[in-house]
Amino acid sequence: MRILLTGKNGQLGRCFQDVLKNTNYKLFAYGSAELNIADASLLAAIVQQVKPDIIVNAAAYTAVDKAETDADNAYLVNATGPELLAKQAAILGIPLIHVSTDYVFDGAAVEPYLPSDETNPQGVYGASKLVGERAVKAACEKHIILRTAWVFSEYGNNFVKTMVRLAKERDELSVVADQYGCPTYAGDLAKAILHICEQHDHGKVLTWGIYHYCGDTPTSWHGFARAIFYRAEALGVIDKSPQLKAISSDLYPTPAKRPEYSVMSTELLSRIELDASFWMAGLFSVLSKLK
Ligand SMILES: NC(=O)c1ccc[n+]([C@@H]2O[C@H](COP(=O)([O-])OP(=O)(O)OC[C@H]3O[C@@H](n4cnc5c(N)ncnc54)[C@H](OP(=O)(O)O)[C@@H]3O)[C@@H](O)[C@H]2O)c1
């Protein structure tokens, strides 16, 4: 099977390349320098040349705060790009696996969000991703959209790596304790996407649609930081955990408003033979690699 991957240099893109190493699938992977997904003619030329059996879109504009003042670019990558990919997939009659975000929700819920729950993004990033989801759905029947959250990995920039760096520099850290979500290991998300590819390869008829793929246990950023320091110290990645202070989001203002409660229900994942990310194990694996 031939897989076309976009966003090969991102956290998910790199983890996906790692999991594909143990397979016989032929991977055609592109970063933004080789394939800007918002470039319609280049995209069409590459898709026609590669003739993939499935497309995995790991490319995105993920700078949540920067998007507030760079909306045109955020929409190009998060809405126009996915729409063009979906149109190409539809022309070939192949599936598109696309990734979206918990930031499509406003965070006012009191119980985990289901994929069918009402969306109401609070910032440009979430809004652009929501337009992308709708465009994919409209252009390509054979789509799986995995909404994920709080992604971390051994690659790129993420909360785990930031916390480890800060723990080496400071004795005390204040972390927001009133925003709740589900940390997700990009390696688990990559394996989940591979399993979707395998099901397609084996001729299984997939139930197309939107799914929530994220960590199995919700926490706050403060709780996540505590878990990181506890394990990082035990593994010898940091010498000593800093004093961790819980603060409210009012004390940590950001250009883009974050949802207070973006916990997503993963219960529908069983329809496509997937389980939620066991993020504690993912954290252990990432910290071991950072050592
Ligand atoms: N990170 C999170 O916490 C988080 C949370 C919720 C959802 N998500 C979603 O999860 C998915 C994967 O995120 P991630 O953390 O792996 O993202 P990431 O590390 O920021 O990687 C995104 C990649 O997209 C590529 N890209 C940007 N603009 C592009 C363009 N015009 N054409 C082609 N490629 C382009 C970049 O490529 P180059 O490096 O080659 O320039 C970058 O490597 C995304 O859909 C994201 O929205 C992430």
Side-chain angles (χ1 to χ4, degrees):
M1 188 168 68
R2 298 161 75 83
I3 303 175
L4 191 155
L5 168 73
T6 62
K8 75 166 187 187
N9 301 312
Q11 296 193 77
L12 174 59
R14 294 183 71 177
C15 286
F16 190 67
Q17 290 171 83
D18 287 345
V19 299
L20 266 240
K21 281 179 190 148
N22 306 320
T23 73
N24 291 324
Y25 294 142
K26 276 205 171 137
L27 181 66
F28 300 83
Y30 300 87
S32 67
E34 307 96 57
L35 172 57
N36 169 5
I37 58 166
D39 182 335
S41 49
L42 177 63
L43 176 63
I46 288 180
V47 170
Q48 278 156 31
Q49 184 195 345
V50 169
K51 293 189 178 53
D53 298 297
I54 195 161
I55 298 177
V56 175
N57 181 28
Y61 185 111
T62 54
V64 175
D65 289 322
K66 195 174 163 212
E68 294 298 308
T69 51
D70 191 22
D72 287 354
N73 280 323
Y75 274 87
L76 267 179
V77 187
N78 292 342
T80 308
E83 178 176 17
L84 295 172
L85 283 163
K87 284 182 173 164
Q88 288 300 322
I91 291 169
L92 292 181
I94 61 167
L96 169 66
I97 303 174
H98 176 63
V99 183
S100 190
T101 173
D102 54 334
Y103 283 16
V104 297
F105 296 115
D106 61 17
V110 289
E111 54 187 50
Y113 283 102
L114 287 165
S116 53
D117 282 342
E118 198 182 321
T119 50
N120 183 25
Q122 297 294 287
V124 170
Y125 167 72
S128 65
K129 294 291 290 185
L130 182 59
V131 174
E133 284 185 3
R134 289 178 176 157
V136 166
K137 207 173 150 187
C140 177
E141 190 211 339
K142 295 181 181 176
H143 65 274
I144 300 278
I145 298 172
L146 298 174
R147 286 189 187 135
T148 190
W150 298 25
V151 177
F152 66 91
S153 70
E154 55 273 44
Y155 301 119
N157 295 317
N158 56 64
F159 187 75
V160 173
K161 290 173 82 174
T162 302
M163 287 300 113
V164 166
R165 176 174 53 77
L166 292 177
K168 290 176 179 170
E169 295 168 6
R170 301 191 196 167
D171 296 325
E172 194 184 296
L173 269 180
S174 297
V175 179
V176 170
D178 58 0
Q179 283 171 25
Y180 294 87
C182 300
T184 309
Y185 175 40
D188 288 342
L189 177 56
K191 277 189 202 153
I193 293 174
L194 172 60
H195 190 53
I196 296 170
C197 293
E198 286 167 342
Q199 291 177 67
H200 174 62
D201 187 35
H202 297 152
K204 184 158 191 269
V205 179
L206 286 154
T207 309
W208 310 117
I210 299 180
Y211 295 88
H212 288 170
Y213 185 90
C214 58
D216 55 346
T217 315
T219 187
S220 66
W221 290 112
H222 179 267
F224 192 14
R226 197 174 42 214
I228 294 165
F229 295 144
Y230 180 75
R231 281 165 188 77
E233 190 177 329
L235 282 166
V237 179
I238 56 173
D239 294 335
K240 189 170 167 290
S241 297
Q243 282 280 340
L244 189 57
K245 210 171 131 197
I247 57 165
S248 73
S249 6
D250 312 350
L251 295 174
Y252 189 75
T254 50
K257 193 169 177 262
R258 268 75 173 163
E260 245 175 60
Y261 179 90
S262 64
V263 175
M264 298 192 292
S265 165
T266 54
E267 65 183 48
L268 296 182
L269 279 179
S270 55
R271 288 187 186 168
I272 46 171
E273 295 183 2
L274 297 179
D275 294 317
S277 166
F278 180 30
W279 68 263
M280 294 277 188
L283 177 59
F284 186 84
S285 153
V286 168
L287 290 171
S288 306
K289 286 173 191 158
L290 292 184
K291 202 180 164 194

